[in-house]
Amino acid sequence: MAVVEHGGKSFEVDEDGFLADLDGWGPEWVDYVKELEGISELKEDHWKVINMLQEYFKKNGIAPMVRILSKVTGFKLKYIYELFPSGPGKGACKMAGLPKPTGCV
Amino acid sequence: MHKTPLLDKLESGPWPSFIKDLKRVAKRKKSVADLLGVLERSYKDKITHWKHGGIVGVLGYGSGIIGRYTDLPEEFPGVEHFHTVRVNQPSGWFYTTKALRELCDIWDEHGSSLLNVHGSTGDMIFLGTTTDQLEPCFAKLTAKGWDLGGSGSAMRSPSCCVGMARCEWSCYDTMDLCYEATQHFQFEMHRPSFPYKFKIKCSGCPNDCVAAVARADMSVIGVWKDDIRIDKAAVKAYAGGELKPRGGGSPYAKLDIKADVTDLCPTACMNYDGKTLKIDNKNCNHCMHCISLMPMALRPGTATGATLLLGSHAPILEGAQMSWVIVPFMEMEHPYDEFKELVGNITEWWSEHGKNRERVGELMLRLGMREFLKGVGLEPVPQTVKTPRANPFFFWHQEDFDAEAKGRKYIK
């Protein structure tokens, strides 16, 4: 596990740049990830997605299916890709501090 | 170069040796030299040396690239990153040397130079590169008109048999349907939104040369509904031994039409009296046996289309399945609107009801054929079952009772 420093904080990450633990998450993490994920400016809708993912994960212990993310936020998948160019898995989940998606990806 | 005593043994024997090929590339690619090292170690330890998972990609897409990292990065730094890039193949895997050179040049510059031609779903596989090379590689590919294939919980790259390009049995243009489906479902291919993976494969006839029935959620298999065309003179030539059975591919020098063809017909709908070959086409189930044995004498009919089957998948979780019939016959004419609409309905129904990582075939088993047919707008037909149910646990809806009370025997 590597450690990255940003905004005076340090974060433990794996080789894909996912946070080792959601407890280590902070707003500085979001600021750090946005550059890597091709996001120039964070809007309210970005935070809506991030907050939803974190709430769902804390409640259920897993990331939501794409369709649930769309339904709860009211954002179509196309718009989620506009917000997060790498998509809900690599982009939004990484930013929200959720564990790395697994399975045949 | 690492010492590879175990792998070296695989350089002998008549079959083309992948170790020889890897060694040739390893002379100029550090990553391939280390790949051989890590593979030798795996042969010795009898365990994989790739870490779990890996999430990498290109901006705008959620699929197409499979991240891989070795768990021995200090020893084999060349394969610390060894990601796989799926490049969508041309229909039927027809290439010009110009196209192949283009791909090789791009991959030689941005990756290990190793290819898998092709992955079992059909993609051209670029084996092994680093994260920083993904975007430049993708940019070069798209500039030349190539795109990534599918991965993850998405529509995977459709594939097809060679179809009408080289086969006289193809009942529809498999290559065209494969290309059209690929273009139509671009969003679904590049941006995973399904409960799990979804594959389309297109075979021109029931010989099923891309194994659509076993390896695609949606299997499109060409078929005809009129009569098999018989060339009487050619039948005579097969009987006389002038024409070799199965285009010379059979062990028999001369065809015994009764023993080898008509007696083996699964529905026993053929008759040969030593002179005339007769087929009772109403009872033919299009198994292709007679046509495959006597290609010069027998041809599929001219009223052609395809049977659509759904649901095949490998064993995880509920056991392996082959696709089963959902539409006995559909015409397959460009631009395939009916087909595209049905696939759209199926993926929509599945996305709405499917559990996380539940293949569409498993969802059909869980909710039942009736829910499926209603959900996607298809009629129940006898061809969808091999036999009727053997148990009496039939579920009646309230409207069934109401209709019966009003004197209706069956409701649709």
Side-chain angles (χ1 to χ4, degrees), chain A residues 21-37:
Chain A
D21 188 354
L22 182 56
D23 292 339
W25 183 89
E28 299 85 355
W29 170 251
V30 176
D31 189 61
Y32 166 71
V33 173
K34 77 174 198 221
E35 317 229 327
L36 306 174
E37 294 298 324

Side-chain angles (χ1 to χ4, degrees), chain B residues 34-49:
Chain B
D34 279 354
L35 179 71
L36 280 162
V38 109
L39 185 62
E40 174 75 18
R41 177 66 66 83
S42 283
Y43 269 56
K44 186 163 159 278
D45 299 347
K46 297 188 167 62
I47 189 172
T48 182
H49 281 293

Side-chain angles (χ1 to χ4, degrees), chain B residues 146-203:
Chain B
W146 300 92
D147 199 353
L148 300 186
S151 70
S153 295
M155 176 78 73
R156 301 298 186 80
S157 308
S159 70
C160 64
C161 69
V162 294
M164 289 179 166
R166 287 187 66 90
C167 180
E168 64 270 43
W169 299 330
S170 195
C171 292
Y172 69 98
D173 192 342
T174 56
M175 292 170 66
D176 189 48
L177 175 66
C178 179
Y179 181 77
E180 275 296 318
T182 305
Q183 297 298 336
H184 184 77
F185 294 109
Q186 282 289 296
F187 188 93
E188 288 79 359
M189 265 176 76
H190 298 312
R191 292 171 198 121
S193 64
F194 297 155
Y196 205 5
K197 62 182 90 167
F198 189 88
K199 301 179 181 182
I200 297 177
K201 290 198 194 302
C202 318
S203 282

Side-chain angles (χ1 to χ4, degrees), chain B residues 304-321:
Chain B
T304 56
T307 298
L308 306 188
L309 305 94
L310 197 76
S312 79
H313 63 83
I316 290 172
L317 285 164
E318 301 285 340
Q321 282 175 212

Side-chain angles (χ1 to χ4, degrees), chain B residues 21-69:
Chain B
D21 288 349
L22 288 179
K23 283 187 175 172
R24 206 177 65 230
V25 185
K27 285 178 193 149
R28 56 190 183 84
K29 289 277 183 184
K30 166 90 173 109
S31 62
V32 179
D34 279 354
L35 179 71
L36 280 162
V38 109
L39 185 62
E40 174 75 18
R41 177 66 66 83
S42 283
Y43 269 56
K44 186 163 159 278
D45 299 347
K46 297 188 167 62
I47 189 172
T48 182
H49 281 293
W50 301 107
K51 278 192 207 177
H52 180 73
I55 295 289
V56 290
V58 293
L59 294 184
Y61 286 9
S63 75
I65 299 169
I66 295 93
R68 253 339 150 248
Y69 306 91

